[in-house]
Amino acid sequence: MSIIPSFFGGRRSNIFDPFSLDVWDPFKDFPFPTSSFDASRETSALVNTRVDWKETPEAHVFKADLPGMKKEEVKVEVEDDRILQISGERNVEKEDKNDTWHRVERSSGKFTRRFRLPENAKLNEVKASMENGVLTITVPKEEAKKPDVKSIQISG
């Protein structure tokens, strides 16, 4: 999904961005949600939640950009089948009847990102922290087992 980020809302109409789409939506201004893109606007936060995953010799480290979110609004879970799930909800800013909106680009709505963890992940030692809108999840790795080497005496 993250390969084509602009399909579900988010960015549009940037001629320098090969993944940007300027798609004409004939139902965009109708008051009912019949458009194929209307249904996906609710999940635009999903696509806009960027996550980096790096592997160090000691751990797998995930970093998610969640600007403006509090740690109470984010949930990190590890399922039995080795799935790391990051989820939460960005709330829509309250509208005042006297306000005139010129542009709305910040995404809102529920988001979920899921990653299958490798076999060497220690699922019971996962740690998460959040600082300045960046969620960091550290999944320690089991030490690689060194092969048991048995020395054989050569008789002669």
Side-chain angles (χ1 to χ4, degrees), residues 14-27:
N14 182 344
I15 61 171
F16 301 109
D17 183 0
F19 295 113
S20 177
L21 297 178
D22 191 9
V23 178
W24 177 66
D25 184 0
F27 302 106

PDB file of all heavy atoms in Angstrom, residues 14-27:
ATOM      1  N   ASN A  14       0.911  16.802  -8.294  1.00  0.00           N
ATOM      2  CA  ASN A  14       2.265  17.313  -8.257  1.00  0.00           C
ATOM      3  C   ASN A  14       2.989  16.733  -9.461  1.00  0.00           C
ATOM      4  O   ASN A  14       3.248  15.540  -9.513  1.00  0.00           O
ATOM      5  CB  ASN A  14       2.954  16.902  -6.953  1.00  0.00           C
ATOM      6  CG  ASN A  14       4.354  17.461  -6.844  1.00  0.00           C
ATOM      7  OD1 ASN A  14       4.946  17.900  -7.829  1.00  0.00           O
ATOM      8  ND2 ASN A  14       4.893  17.441  -5.642  1.00  0.00           N
ATOM      9  N   ILE A  15       3.310  17.564 -10.435  1.00  0.00           N
ATOM     10  CA  ILE A  15       3.883  17.049 -11.677  1.00  0.00           C
ATOM     11  C   ILE A  15       5.274  16.475 -11.487  1.00  0.00           C
ATOM     12  O   ILE A  15       5.752  15.728 -12.315  1.00  0.00           O
ATOM     13  CB  ILE A  15       3.907  18.138 -12.776  1.00  0.00           C
ATOM     14  CG1 ILE A  15       4.781  19.322 -12.337  1.00  0.00           C
ATOM     15  CG2 ILE A  15       2.518  18.553 -13.148  1.00  0.00           C
ATOM     16  CD1 ILE A  15       5.036  20.322 -13.431  1.00  0.00           C
ATOM     17  N   PHE A  16       5.930  16.791 -10.381  1.00  0.00           N
ATOM     18  CA  PHE A  16       7.267  16.285 -10.135  1.00  0.00           C
ATOM     19  C   PHE A  16       7.265  14.983  -9.344  1.00  0.00           C
ATOM     20  O   PHE A  16       8.303  14.377  -9.162  1.00  0.00           O
ATOM     21  CB  PHE A  16       8.112  17.330  -9.397  1.00  0.00           C
ATOM     22  CG  PHE A  16       8.226  18.608 -10.172  1.00  0.00           C
ATOM     23  CD1 PHE A  16       7.571  19.741  -9.753  1.00  0.00           C
ATOM     24  CD2 PHE A  16       8.969  18.667 -11.335  1.00  0.00           C
ATOM     25  CE1 PHE A  16       7.654  20.914 -10.470  1.00  0.00           C
ATOM     26  CE2 PHE A  16       9.062  19.831 -12.071  1.00  0.00           C
ATOM     27  CZ  PHE A  16       8.409  20.957 -11.640  1.00  0.00           C
ATOM     28  N   ASP A  17       6.119  14.561  -8.874  1.00  0.00           N
ATOM     29  CA  ASP A  17       5.998  13.346  -8.073  1.00  0.00           C
ATOM     30  C   ASP A  17       5.392  12.241  -8.932  1.00  0.00           C
ATOM     31  O   ASP A  17       4.238  12.335  -9.335  1.00  0.00           O
ATOM     32  CB  ASP A  17       5.112  13.607  -6.854  1.00  0.00           C
ATOM     33  CG  ASP A  17       4.998  12.404  -5.941  1.00  0.00           C
ATOM     34  OD1 ASP A  17       5.592  11.355  -6.238  1.00  0.00           O
ATOM     35  OD2 ASP A  17       4.314  12.530  -4.907  1.00  0.00           O
ATOM     36  N   PRO A  18       6.158  11.182  -9.243  1.00  0.00           N
ATOM     37  CA  PRO A  18       5.627  10.134 -10.121  1.00  0.00           C
ATOM     38  C   PRO A  18       4.465   9.364  -9.515  1.00  0.00           C
ATOM     39  O   PRO A  18       3.730   8.699 -10.216  1.00  0.00           O
ATOM     40  CB  PRO A  18       6.830   9.213 -10.338  1.00  0.00           C
ATOM     41  CG  PRO A  18       7.717   9.455  -9.181  1.00  0.00           C
ATOM     42  CD  PRO A  18       7.507  10.890  -8.789  1.00  0.00           C
ATOM     43  N   PHE A  19       4.256   9.424  -8.185  1.00  0.00           N
ATOM     44  CA  PHE A  19       3.168   8.710  -7.546  1.00  0.00           C
ATOM     45  C   PHE A  19       1.950   9.597  -7.308  1.00  0.00           C
ATOM     46  O   PHE A  19       0.983   9.184  -6.714  1.00  0.00           O
ATOM     47  CB  PHE A  19       3.625   8.100  -6.217  1.00  0.00           C
ATOM     48  CG  PHE A  19       4.673   7.055  -6.400  1.00  0.00           C
ATOM     49  CD1 PHE A  19       5.956   7.271  -5.946  1.00  0.00           C
ATOM     50  CD2 PHE A  19       4.382   5.860  -7.027  1.00  0.00           C
ATOM     51  CE1 PHE A  19       6.924   6.323  -6.122  1.00  0.00           C
ATOM     52  CE2 PHE A  19       5.345   4.899  -7.205  1.00  0.00           C
ATOM     53  CZ  PHE A  19       6.618   5.122  -6.757  1.00  0.00           C
ATOM     54  N   SER A  20       2.028  10.830  -7.723  1.00  0.00           N
ATOM     55  CA  SER A  20       0.917  11.751  -7.525  1.00  0.00           C
ATOM     56  C   SER A  20      -0.093  11.561  -8.646  1.00  0.00           C
ATOM     57  O   SER A  20       0.263  11.408  -9.800  1.00  0.00           O
ATOM     58  CB  SER A  20       1.436  13.186  -7.534  1.00  0.00           C
ATOM     59  OG  SER A  20       0.381  14.078  -7.422  1.00  0.00           O
ATOM     60  N   LEU A  21      -1.358  11.578  -8.286  1.00  0.00           N
ATOM     61  CA  LEU A  21      -2.416  11.414  -9.282  1.00  0.00           C
ATOM     62  C   LEU A  21      -3.310  12.635  -9.284  1.00  0.00           C
ATOM     63  O   LEU A  21      -3.649  13.181  -8.242  1.00  0.00           O
ATOM     64  CB  LEU A  21      -3.270  10.181  -8.949  1.00  0.00           C
ATOM     65  CG  LEU A  21      -2.567   8.844  -8.980  1.00  0.00           C
ATOM     66  CD1 LEU A  21      -3.541   7.756  -8.580  1.00  0.00           C
ATOM     67  CD2 LEU A  21      -2.017   8.552 -10.355  1.00  0.00           C
ATOM     68  N   ASP A  22      -3.687  13.047 -10.457  1.00  0.00           N
ATOM     69  CA  ASP A  22      -4.694  14.092 -10.576  1.00  0.00           C
ATOM     70  C   ASP A  22      -5.884  13.438 -11.258  1.00  0.00           C
ATOM     71  O   ASP A  22      -6.022  13.450 -12.466  1.00  0.00           O
ATOM     72  CB  ASP A  22      -4.154  15.251 -11.394  1.00  0.00           C
ATOM     73  CG  ASP A  22      -5.054  16.461 -11.310  1.00  0.00           C
ATOM     74  OD1 ASP A  22      -5.987  16.450 -10.493  1.00  0.00           O
ATOM     75  OD2 ASP A  22      -4.815  17.409 -12.075  1.00  0.00           O
ATOM     76  N   VAL A  23      -6.733  12.821 -10.455  1.00  0.00           N
ATOM     77  CA  VAL A  23      -7.842  12.041 -10.971  1.00  0.00           C
ATOM     78  C   VAL A  23      -9.109  12.858 -10.900  1.00  0.00           C
ATOM     79  O   VAL A  23      -9.449  13.398  -9.850  1.00  0.00           O
ATOM     80  CB  VAL A  23      -8.005  10.729 -10.152  1.00  0.00           C
ATOM     81  CG1 VAL A  23      -9.186   9.930 -10.666  1.00  0.00           C
ATOM     82  CG2 VAL A  23      -6.732   9.922 -10.204  1.00  0.00           C
ATOM     83  N   TRP A  24      -9.807  12.937 -12.017  1.00  0.00           N
ATOM     84  CA  TRP A  24     -11.077  13.630 -12.034  1.00  0.00           C
ATOM     85  C   TRP A  24     -12.132  12.740 -11.427  1.00  0.00           C
ATOM     86  O   TRP A  24     -12.286  11.580 -11.802  1.00  0.00           O
ATOM     87  CB  TRP A  24     -11.454  14.011 -13.456  1.00  0.00           C
ATOM     88  CG  TRP A  24     -12.792  14.672 -13.552  1.00  0.00           C
ATOM     89  CD1 TRP A  24     -13.124  15.881 -13.040  1.00  0.00           C
ATOM     90  CD2 TRP A  24     -13.960  14.150 -14.170  1.00  0.00           C
ATOM     91  NE1 TRP A  24     -14.431  16.168 -13.305  1.00  0.00           N
ATOM     92  CE2 TRP A  24     -14.981  15.106 -14.008  1.00  0.00           C
ATOM     93  CE3 TRP A  24     -14.246  12.981 -14.842  1.00  0.00           C
ATOM     94  CZ2 TRP A  24     -16.253  14.931 -14.496  1.00  0.00           C
ATOM     95  CZ3 TRP A  24     -15.522  12.809 -15.334  1.00  0.00           C
ATOM     96  CH2 TRP A  24     -16.511  13.776 -15.152  1.00  0.00           C
ATOM     97  N   ASP A  25     -12.861  13.269 -10.476  1.00  0.00           N
ATOM     98  CA  ASP A  25     -13.915  12.520  -9.804  1.00  0.00           C
ATOM     99  C   ASP A  25     -15.239  13.202 -10.124  1.00  0.00           C
ATOM    100  O   ASP A  25     -15.544  14.264  -9.583  1.00  0.00           O
ATOM    101  CB  ASP A  25     -13.661  12.506  -8.298  1.00  0.00           C
ATOM    102  CG  ASP A  25     -14.660  11.656  -7.546  1.00  0.00           C
ATOM    103  OD1 ASP A  25     -15.559  11.067  -8.192  1.00  0.00           O
ATOM    104  OD2 ASP A  25     -14.542  11.584  -6.315  1.00  0.00           O
ATOM    105  N   PRO A  26     -16.058  12.607 -11.003  1.00  0.00           N
ATOM    106  CA  PRO A  26     -17.295  13.276 -11.416  1.00  0.00           C
ATOM    107  C   PRO A  26     -18.322  13.426 -10.301  1.00  0.00           C
ATOM    108  O   PRO A  26     -19.228  14.243 -10.407  1.00  0.00           O
ATOM    109  CB  PRO A  26     -17.834  12.358 -12.533  1.00  0.00           C
ATOM    110  CG  PRO A  26     -17.226  11.034 -12.266  1.00  0.00           C
ATOM    111  CD  PRO A  26     -15.884  11.318 -11.644  1.00  0.00           C
ATOM    112  N   PHE A  27     -18.200  12.642  -9.217  1.00  0.00           N
ATOM    113  CA  PHE A  27     -19.168  12.695  -8.133  1.00  0.00           C
ATOM    114  C   PHE A  27     -18.660  13.469  -6.921  1.00  0.00           C
ATOM    115  O   PHE A  27     -19.270  13.452  -5.867  1.00  0.00           O
ATOM    116  CB  PHE A  27     -19.543  11.271  -7.698  1.00  0.00           C
ATOM    117  CG  PHE A  27     -20.096  10.456  -8.828  1.00  0.00           C
ATOM    118  CD1 PHE A  27     -19.335   9.461  -9.409  1.00  0.00           C
ATOM    119  CD2 PHE A  27     -21.374  10.706  -9.310  1.00  0.00           C
ATOM    120  CE1 PHE A  27     -19.839   8.719 -10.450  1.00  0.00           C
ATOM    121  CE2 PHE A  27     -21.883   9.955 -10.358  1.00  0.00           C
ATOM    122  CZ  PHE A  27     -21.116   8.955 -10.941  1.00  0.00           C
TER     123      PHE A  27
END
